[in-house]
Amino acid sequence: MDIWKYYDITHKKHLLCNPMSKDKLDGLFLLLDLKPNSKVLDIACGKGEPLIRLTELFNISGIGVDISPYFVKDCEEKKNKRVSNSDIKFLEMDGSKYRPKRNELFDLTMCIGASFIYNGFTGTINALKKVTKPGGLIFIGEPYWLKEPDDEYLKISGMKKEEFNSHFKNIDIGEKEGLTCIYTLVSSHDDWDHYETLQWWSAYDYATANPNDTDNSELLNKIKKSKMEYLMYGRDTLGWAIYIFKRQ
Ligand SMILES: C[S@@+](CC[C@H](N)C(=O)[O-])C[C@H]1O[C@@H](n2cnc3c(N)ncnc32)[C@H](O)[C@@H]1O
């Protein structure tokens, strides 16, 4: 089954495609000191909610990049509905290949839930640092180990222990790369449950509404596997945070 179709179906009901609550993210946005036309870049922007919300609050000028044609279409529809006259653009492409025009630097850059694009957390810090103004902010959303992962969890999920760090290490890496961590937003169990279980709901709804889709058995098998992994291991093993770094 096409991977982007899978994510489109399983994230149909999500506003944010990451395990942070919308209210916590909005609380962070209200702390920002962005001005009209402040430049914001969102790599792997998902369905565009962060950029659109920042436009509603500050009338920023923004670029969102995502590889999924389904999500970029959602972004365009949302833009037309909520901020049609704004200076935000959505690009359907591989985020790792995005280069700003005329080497422009951004006041705020983010990559929330997609550090694999840059081969991990350190790579993401370095990539975003290059396109952020001195004094600007960098938001990175990343999982962290709450505890040592069980071997069986690594085996069935295909994850490697080295893929993620502890919460402390995520902050330490950013600081060793010359940034200052000024704030963190950490997801609760409730936030993670919302993110994970809404995928189950969307998948079962889709299969009921589209009984003749030949992808249904693969879709439901994948959801069943991810449900078991989350309930048996992930829920107590992986945490999630958005790290707010300042480039000095
Ligand atoms: C966990 S979601 C996070 C989406 C968004 N940042 C949010 O928080 O709502 C990961 C996103 O990465 C996108 N993605 C995956 N590989 C990508 C790539 N190589 N370049 C750009 N986007 C990519 C997916 O389409 C998806 O929207």
Side-chain angles (χ1 to χ4, degrees):
M1 151 174 214
D2 175 63
I3 180 87
W4 309 125
K5 176 181 172 185
Y6 174 78
Y7 285 117
D8 177 53
I9 292 171
T10 53
H11 288 72
K12 213 36 138 193
K13 295 177 191 287
H14 291 73
L15 198 61
L16 292 172
C17 302
N18 78 75
M20 185 53 64
S21 86
K22 170 177 118 357
D23 291 346
K24 282 189 196 167
L25 195 65
D26 217 35
L28 165 66
F29 286 175
L30 291 171
L31 292 169
L32 298 174
D33 185 25
L34 292 172
K35 307 276 183 288
N37 299 319
S38 285
K39 292 185 184 314
V40 180
L41 173 67
D42 189 356
I43 296 288
C45 63
K47 295 162 85 168
E49 185 62 25
L51 265 189
I52 303 251
R53 187 68 189 124
L54 287 172
T55 307
E56 287 170 336
L57 289 170
F58 303 106
N59 198 19
I60 52 114
S61 161
I63 294 180
V65 180
D66 202 281
I67 205 167
S68 160
Y70 296 92
F71 283 179
V72 172
K73 186 165 167 277
D74 285 343
C75 290
E76 296 289 359
E77 282 171 9
K78 205 182 267 191
K79 177 186 167 184
N80 291 337
K81 223 189 229 167
R82 285 167 51 186
V83 287
S84 57
N85 292 323
S86 61
D87 182 24
I88 51 173
K89 287 186 198 67
F90 293 101
L91 308 176
E92 183 191 320
M93 64 180 287
D94 182 342
S96 70
K97 300 208 163 58
Y98 172 76
R99 301 287 174 274
K101 281 193 189 142
R102 296 176 296 276
N103 294 326
E104 82 178 313
L105 296 177
F106 293 85
D107 298 283
L108 167 62
T109 57
M110 29 183 169
C111 179
I112 300 178
S115 66
F116 50 83
I117 292 178
Y118 301 110
N119 293 321
F121 195 75
T122 310
T124 306
I125 297 259
N126 284 317
L128 295 189
K129 221 166 59 174
K130 285 188 194 135
V131 290
T132 307
K133 288 181 186 169
L137 296 180
I138 298 175
F139 294 179
I140 303 182
E142 180 77 352
Y144 64 89
W145 296 122
L146 285 169
K147 64 175 191 185
E148 194 72 14
D150 198 286
D151 285 344
E152 185 61 16
Y153 179 38
L154 295 177
K155 196 169 142 203
I156 60 172
S157 67
M159 282 190 292
K160 296 202 171 62
K161 195 181 154 199
E162 315 75 72
E163 245 171 87
F164 303 122
N165 305 298
S166 66
H167 186 50
F168 169 78
K169 184 111 189 275
N170 279 340
I171 294 171
D172 195 45
I173 289 173
E175 302 218 320
K176 288 204 167 105
E177 294 296 331
L179 304 176
T180 307
C181 184
I182 56 168
Y183 194 70
T184 62
L185 276 185
V186 176
S187 294
S188 63
H189 258 147
D190 198 34
D191 301 332
W192 262 110
D193 284 354
H194 172 76
Y195 177 66
E196 290 291 331
T197 65
L198 212 49
Q199 296 180 48
W200 311 344
W201 192 342
S202 299
Y204 295 120
D205 269 6
Y206 179 88
T208 308
N210 301 274
N212 299 324
D213 190 328
T214 51
D215 285 330
N216 280 348
S217 70
E218 188 180 343
L219 167 71
L220 296 179
N221 280 338
K222 275 169 100 126
I223 274 293
K224 190 171 171 195
K225 178 172 180 284
S226 120
K227 191 180 201 175
M228 284 308 125
E229 277 171 23
Y230 179 66
L231 293 174
M232 289 172 69
Y233 300 105
R235 194 169 187 270
D236 298 312
T237 310
L238 263 188
W240 167 263
I242 298 181
Y243 300 91
I244 289 76
F245 292 103
K246 193 172 175 73
R247 186 180 165 200
Q248 300 302 341

PDB file of all heavy atoms in Angstrom, residues 210-229:
ATOM      1  N   ASN A 210     -15.116   2.140   3.016  1.00  0.00           N
ATOM      2  CA  ASN A 210     -14.575   1.744   1.694  1.00  0.00           C
ATOM      3  C   ASN A 210     -14.335   0.235   1.654  1.00  0.00           C
ATOM      4  O   ASN A 210     -13.204  -0.238   1.528  1.00  0.00           O
ATOM      5  CB  ASN A 210     -13.247   2.474   1.430  1.00  0.00           C
ATOM      6  CG  ASN A 210     -13.410   3.980   1.450  1.00  0.00           C
ATOM      7  OD1 ASN A 210     -13.753   4.583   0.445  1.00  0.00           O
ATOM      8  ND2 ASN A 210     -13.177   4.586   2.604  1.00  0.00           N
ATOM      9  N   PRO A 211     -15.430  -0.550   1.766  1.00  0.00           N
ATOM     10  CA  PRO A 211     -15.257  -2.000   1.926  1.00  0.00           C
ATOM     11  C   PRO A 211     -14.572  -2.680   0.745  1.00  0.00           C
ATOM     12  O   PRO A 211     -14.035  -3.768   0.890  1.00  0.00           O
ATOM     13  CB  PRO A 211     -16.693  -2.504   2.104  1.00  0.00           C
ATOM     14  CG  PRO A 211     -17.565  -1.424   1.573  1.00  0.00           C
ATOM     15  CD  PRO A 211     -16.838  -0.140   1.744  1.00  0.00           C
ATOM     16  N   ASN A 212     -14.574  -2.037  -0.431  1.00  0.00           N
ATOM     17  CA  ASN A 212     -13.981  -2.691  -1.608  1.00  0.00           C
ATOM     18  C   ASN A 212     -12.532  -2.297  -1.861  1.00  0.00           C
ATOM     19  O   ASN A 212     -11.947  -2.725  -2.854  1.00  0.00           O
ATOM     20  CB  ASN A 212     -14.817  -2.368  -2.856  1.00  0.00           C
ATOM     21  CG  ASN A 212     -16.228  -2.897  -2.697  1.00  0.00           C
ATOM     22  OD1 ASN A 212     -16.425  -3.963  -2.103  1.00  0.00           O
ATOM     23  ND2 ASN A 212     -17.208  -2.132  -3.172  1.00  0.00           N
ATOM     24  N   ASP A 213     -11.964  -1.497  -0.982  1.00  0.00           N
ATOM     25  CA  ASP A 213     -10.559  -1.095  -1.189  1.00  0.00           C
ATOM     26  C   ASP A 213      -9.662  -2.308  -0.931  1.00  0.00           C
ATOM     27  O   ASP A 213      -9.679  -2.877   0.172  1.00  0.00           O
ATOM     28  CB  ASP A 213     -10.197   0.067  -0.251  1.00  0.00           C
ATOM     29  CG  ASP A 213      -8.838   0.673  -0.611  1.00  0.00           C
ATOM     30  OD1 ASP A 213      -7.958  -0.076  -1.086  1.00  0.00           O
ATOM     31  OD2 ASP A 213      -8.663   1.887  -0.415  1.00  0.00           O
ATOM     32  N   THR A 214      -8.867  -2.671  -1.925  1.00  0.00           N
ATOM     33  CA  THR A 214      -8.023  -3.870  -1.797  1.00  0.00           C
ATOM     34  C   THR A 214      -6.879  -3.649  -0.802  1.00  0.00           C
ATOM     35  O   THR A 214      -6.187  -4.600  -0.440  1.00  0.00           O
ATOM     36  CB  THR A 214      -7.435  -4.277  -3.167  1.00  0.00           C
ATOM     37  OG1 THR A 214      -6.840  -3.115  -3.736  1.00  0.00           O
ATOM     38  CG2 THR A 214      -8.515  -4.807  -4.098  1.00  0.00           C
ATOM     39  N   ASP A 215      -6.651  -2.410  -0.392  1.00  0.00           N
ATOM     40  CA  ASP A 215      -5.601  -2.132   0.602  1.00  0.00           C
ATOM     41  C   ASP A 215      -6.084  -2.374   2.043  1.00  0.00           C
ATOM     42  O   ASP A 215      -5.292  -2.270   2.989  1.00  0.00           O
ATOM     43  CB  ASP A 215      -5.135  -0.662   0.508  1.00  0.00           C
ATOM     44  CG  ASP A 215      -4.235  -0.432  -0.705  1.00  0.00           C
ATOM     45  OD1 ASP A 215      -3.536  -1.379  -1.097  1.00  0.00           O
ATOM     46  OD2 ASP A 215      -4.237   0.696  -1.234  1.00  0.00           O
ATOM     47  N   ASN A 216      -7.382  -2.655   2.223  1.00  0.00           N
ATOM     48  CA  ASN A 216      -7.923  -2.718   3.592  1.00  0.00           C
ATOM     49  C   ASN A 216      -7.234  -3.747   4.493  1.00  0.00           C
ATOM     50  O   ASN A 216      -6.978  -3.473   5.662  1.00  0.00           O
ATOM     51  CB  ASN A 216      -9.429  -3.006   3.574  1.00  0.00           C
ATOM     52  CG  ASN A 216     -10.212  -1.735   3.279  1.00  0.00           C
ATOM     53  OD1 ASN A 216      -9.640  -0.639   3.320  1.00  0.00           O
ATOM     54  ND2 ASN A 216     -11.498  -1.867   2.970  1.00  0.00           N
ATOM     55  N   SER A 217      -6.926  -4.927   3.935  1.00  0.00           N
ATOM     56  CA  SER A 217      -6.355  -5.927   4.856  1.00  0.00           C
ATOM     57  C   SER A 217      -4.959  -5.496   5.299  1.00  0.00           C
ATOM     58  O   SER A 217      -4.608  -5.632   6.477  1.00  0.00           O
ATOM     59  CB  SER A 217      -6.377  -7.333   4.256  1.00  0.00           C
ATOM     60  OG  SER A 217      -5.459  -7.402   3.221  1.00  0.00           O
ATOM     61  N   GLU A 218      -4.179  -4.913   4.382  1.00  0.00           N
ATOM     62  CA  GLU A 218      -2.850  -4.419   4.785  1.00  0.00           C
ATOM     63  C   GLU A 218      -2.990  -3.272   5.794  1.00  0.00           C
ATOM     64  O   GLU A 218      -2.282  -3.221   6.817  1.00  0.00           O
ATOM     65  CB  GLU A 218      -2.068  -3.949   3.546  1.00  0.00           C
ATOM     66  CG  GLU A 218      -0.640  -3.612   3.894  1.00  0.00           C
ATOM     67  CD  GLU A 218       0.179  -3.147   2.683  1.00  0.00           C
ATOM     68  OE1 GLU A 218      -0.228  -3.363   1.533  1.00  0.00           O
ATOM     69  OE2 GLU A 218       1.244  -2.543   2.932  1.00  0.00           O
ATOM     70  N   LEU A 219      -3.927  -2.372   5.509  1.00  0.00           N
ATOM     71  CA  LEU A 219      -4.164  -1.239   6.415  1.00  0.00           C
ATOM     72  C   LEU A 219      -4.492  -1.731   7.826  1.00  0.00           C
ATOM     73  O   LEU A 219      -3.881  -1.315   8.821  1.00  0.00           O
ATOM     74  CB  LEU A 219      -5.336  -0.397   5.863  1.00  0.00           C
ATOM     75  CG  LEU A 219      -5.934   0.649   6.793  1.00  0.00           C
ATOM     76  CD1 LEU A 219      -4.967   1.818   6.975  1.00  0.00           C
ATOM     77  CD2 LEU A 219      -7.270   1.178   6.232  1.00  0.00           C
ATOM     78  N   LEU A 220      -5.422  -2.669   7.917  1.00  0.00           N
ATOM     79  CA  LEU A 220      -5.863  -3.128   9.240  1.00  0.00           C
ATOM     80  C   LEU A 220      -4.789  -3.971   9.946  1.00  0.00           C
ATOM     81  O   LEU A 220      -4.650  -3.899  11.162  1.00  0.00           O
ATOM     82  CB  LEU A 220      -7.196  -3.884   9.126  1.00  0.00           C
ATOM     83  CG  LEU A 220      -8.356  -3.002   8.633  1.00  0.00           C
ATOM     84  CD1 LEU A 220      -9.640  -3.810   8.514  1.00  0.00           C
ATOM     85  CD2 LEU A 220      -8.585  -1.785   9.534  1.00  0.00           C
ATOM     86  N   ASN A 221      -4.013  -4.704   9.155  1.00  0.00           N
ATOM     87  CA  ASN A 221      -2.901  -5.460   9.768  1.00  0.00           C
ATOM     88  C   ASN A 221      -1.845  -4.525  10.347  1.00  0.00           C
ATOM     89  O   ASN A 221      -1.325  -4.754  11.442  1.00  0.00           O
ATOM     90  CB  ASN A 221      -2.237  -6.374   8.738  1.00  0.00           C
ATOM     91  CG  ASN A 221      -3.046  -7.638   8.535  1.00  0.00           C
ATOM     92  OD1 ASN A 221      -3.828  -8.011   9.411  1.00  0.00           O
ATOM     93  ND2 ASN A 221      -2.889  -8.272   7.391  1.00  0.00           N
ATOM     94  N   LYS A 222      -1.534  -3.471   9.591  1.00  0.00           N
ATOM     95  CA  LYS A 222      -0.523  -2.516  10.068  1.00  0.00           C
ATOM     96  C   LYS A 222      -1.002  -1.814  11.343  1.00  0.00           C
ATOM     97  O   LYS A 222      -0.246  -1.611  12.292  1.00  0.00           O
ATOM     98  CB  LYS A 222      -0.254  -1.440   8.989  1.00  0.00           C
ATOM     99  CG  LYS A 222       0.777  -1.853   7.945  1.00  0.00           C
ATOM    100  CD  LYS A 222       0.786  -0.870   6.796  1.00  0.00           C
ATOM    101  CE  LYS A 222       1.937   0.093   6.935  1.00  0.00           C
ATOM    102  NZ  LYS A 222       2.788   0.166   5.765  1.00  0.00           N
ATOM    103  N   ILE A 223      -2.275  -1.464  11.344  1.00  0.00           N
ATOM    104  CA  ILE A 223      -2.829  -0.768  12.517  1.00  0.00           C
ATOM    105  C   ILE A 223      -2.843  -1.704  13.728  1.00  0.00           C
ATOM    106  O   ILE A 223      -2.515  -1.304  14.850  1.00  0.00           O
ATOM    107  CB  ILE A 223      -4.244  -0.228  12.191  1.00  0.00           C
ATOM    108  CG1 ILE A 223      -4.101   1.149  11.541  1.00  0.00           C
ATOM    109  CG2 ILE A 223      -5.159  -0.125  13.398  1.00  0.00           C
ATOM    110  CD1 ILE A 223      -3.567   2.257  12.436  1.00  0.00           C
ATOM    111  N   LYS A 224      -3.169  -2.956  13.488  1.00  0.00           N
ATOM    112  CA  LYS A 224      -3.210  -3.928  14.588  1.00  0.00           C
ATOM    113  C   LYS A 224      -1.803  -4.083  15.195  1.00  0.00           C
ATOM    114  O   LYS A 224      -1.631  -4.110  16.416  1.00  0.00           O
ATOM    115  CB  LYS A 224      -3.705  -5.277  14.043  1.00  0.00           C
ATOM    116  CG  LYS A 224      -4.022  -6.273  15.103  1.00  0.00           C
ATOM    117  CD  LYS A 224      -4.705  -7.469  14.491  1.00  0.00           C
ATOM    118  CE  LYS A 224      -4.815  -8.568  15.534  1.00  0.00           C
ATOM    119  NZ  LYS A 224      -5.122  -9.846  14.942  1.00  0.00           N
ATOM    120  N   LYS A 225      -0.789  -4.140  14.324  1.00  0.00           N
ATOM    121  CA  LYS A 225       0.588  -4.291  14.789  1.00  0.00           C
ATOM    122  C   LYS A 225       1.001  -3.053  15.578  1.00  0.00           C
ATOM    123  O   LYS A 225       1.551  -3.139  16.678  1.00  0.00           O
ATOM    124  CB  LYS A 225       1.512  -4.503  13.572  1.00  0.00           C
ATOM    125  CG  LYS A 225       2.984  -4.625  13.915  1.00  0.00           C
ATOM    126  CD  LYS A 225       3.792  -5.025  12.675  1.00  0.00           C
ATOM    127  CE  LYS A 225       5.269  -5.157  12.983  1.00  0.00           C
ATOM    128  NZ  LYS A 225       5.977  -3.905  13.133  1.00  0.00           N
ATOM    129  N   SER A 226       0.692  -1.880  15.034  1.00  0.00           N
ATOM    130  CA  SER A 226       1.119  -0.659  15.722  1.00  0.00           C
ATOM    131  C   SER A 226       0.369  -0.482  17.061  1.00  0.00           C
ATOM    132  O   SER A 226       0.929  -0.011  18.049  1.00  0.00           O
ATOM    133  CB  SER A 226       0.994   0.534  14.759  1.00  0.00           C
ATOM    134  OG  SER A 226       0.139   1.495  15.202  1.00  0.00           O
ATOM    135  N   LYS A 227      -0.873  -0.941  17.090  1.00  0.00           N
ATOM    136  CA  LYS A 227      -1.673  -0.888  18.330  1.00  0.00           C
ATOM    137  C   LYS A 227      -1.024  -1.756  19.415  1.00  0.00           C
ATOM    138  O   LYS A 227      -0.844  -1.329  20.559  1.00  0.00           O
ATOM    139  CB  LYS A 227      -3.067  -1.429  17.987  1.00  0.00           C
ATOM    140  CG  LYS A 227      -4.156  -1.270  18.988  1.00  0.00           C
ATOM    141  CD  LYS A 227      -5.402  -1.914  18.356  1.00  0.00           C
ATOM    142  CE  LYS A 227      -6.671  -1.460  18.936  1.00  0.00           C
ATOM    143  NZ  LYS A 227      -7.853  -2.002  18.230  1.00  0.00           N
ATOM    144  N   MET A 228      -0.642  -2.986  19.029  1.00  0.00           N
ATOM    145  CA  MET A 228      -0.024  -3.907  19.996  1.00  0.00           C
ATOM    146  C   MET A 228       1.324  -3.378  20.489  1.00  0.00           C
ATOM    147  O   MET A 228       1.620  -3.417  21.673  1.00  0.00           O
ATOM    148  CB  MET A 228       0.162  -5.300  19.365  1.00  0.00           C
ATOM    149  CG  MET A 228      -1.106  -6.093  19.260  1.00  0.00           C
ATOM    150  SD  MET A 228      -1.943  -6.169  20.868  1.00  0.00           S
ATOM    151  CE  MET A 228      -3.534  -5.542  20.480  1.00  0.00           C
ATOM    152  N   GLU A 229       2.142  -2.866  19.538  1.00  0.00           N
ATOM    153  CA  GLU A 229       3.461  -2.330  19.925  1.00  0.00           C
ATOM    154  C   GLU A 229       3.305  -1.186  20.923  1.00  0.00           C
ATOM    155  O   GLU A 229       4.044  -1.079  21.898  1.00  0.00           O
ATOM    156  CB  GLU A 229       4.190  -1.773  18.690  1.00  0.00           C
ATOM    157  CG  GLU A 229       4.893  -2.819  17.892  1.00  0.00           C
ATOM    158  CD  GLU A 229       5.420  -2.263  16.561  1.00  0.00           C
ATOM    159  OE1 GLU A 229       5.630  -1.042  16.438  1.00  0.00           O
ATOM    160  OE2 GLU A 229       5.619  -3.071  15.647  1.00  0.00           O
TER     161      GLU A 229
END
